[in-house]
Amino acid sequence: MQRLYNLYQRGYHQEVYDELLSLQEDIYEPDVYEDAVAVAREIMQRVRYNIEQLVVRLKQVGYLFGKGSSLVNTFSETYVAMFQPPNPETPENIAILEQIVGSLPLSLKCWYEEVGSVNFIGLF
């Protein structure tokens, strides 16, 4: 059953988020987990959309990605990617990590599955 996901889809974003937070460790219970993952994925899909919009808009205003940091200047510019979507190995890598350290927080797990990585170091 995806009660929380359906509520989230209908616009009850804060209420659903508050309820998920109140569940704490109970979020991993089988009757809640699938619903919680669906909500977390939806949140991260919105985050990814917003990141993609930011990349376009920052480029339009002349933002120089990968400039201005001594760490960045140590490496080639191709090393510092502004946005990299998840690669096909991401779910397998997460599964391996969870075998080693236990369950990841849903927000982190879904971030890597839906968003990937972001690096907005740079200068105007």
Side-chain angles (χ1 to χ4, degrees):
M1 183 172 137
Q2 293 194 328
R3 180 184 68 81
L4 293 173
Y5 178 74
N6 291 333
L7 285 171
Y8 189 86
Q9 288 292 89
R10 291 195 322 228
Y12 295 96
H13 303 133
Q14 190 63 52
E15 295 86 351
V16 169
Y17 187 75
D18 290 343
E19 185 171 339
L20 288 173
L21 283 178
S22 73
L23 291 170
Q24 297 183 14
E25 293 301 314
D26 290 340
I27 205 167
Y28 295 102
E29 293 296 321
D31 59 326
V32 177
Y33 186 74
E34 205 173 298
D35 197 16
V37 168
V39 171
R41 286 187 196 286
E42 184 69 24
I43 291 169
M44 292 307 156
Q45 288 168 5
R46 291 176 65 196
V47 168
R48 180 174 172 164
Y49 173 81
N50 289 328
I51 288 168
E52 290 169 343
Q53 297 303 306
L54 273 172
V55 169
V56 169
R57 292 177 182 163
L58 286 170
K59 284 180 177 179
Q60 289 173 343
V61 297
Y63 191 76
L64 303 171
F65 289 94
K67 301 287 185 189
S69 167
S70 60
L71 177 63
V72 172
N73 293 333
T74 304
F75 302 102
S76 71
E77 273 190 45
T78 57
Y79 177 81
V80 180
M82 65 189 102
F83 172 60
Q84 288 185 322
N87 61 45
E89 295 85 31
T90 297
E92 182 181 338
N93 291 339
I94 290 171
I96 292 168
L97 181 60
E98 288 188 318
Q99 286 177 347
I100 297 168
V101 301
S103 296
L104 295 175
L106 284 185
S107 57
L108 183 60
K109 179 179 180 171
C110 292
W111 170 274
Y112 285 121
E113 291 175 345
E114 300 295 331
V115 177
S117 65
V118 178
N119 184 340
F120 282 180
I121 291 175
L123 296 170
F124 280 98

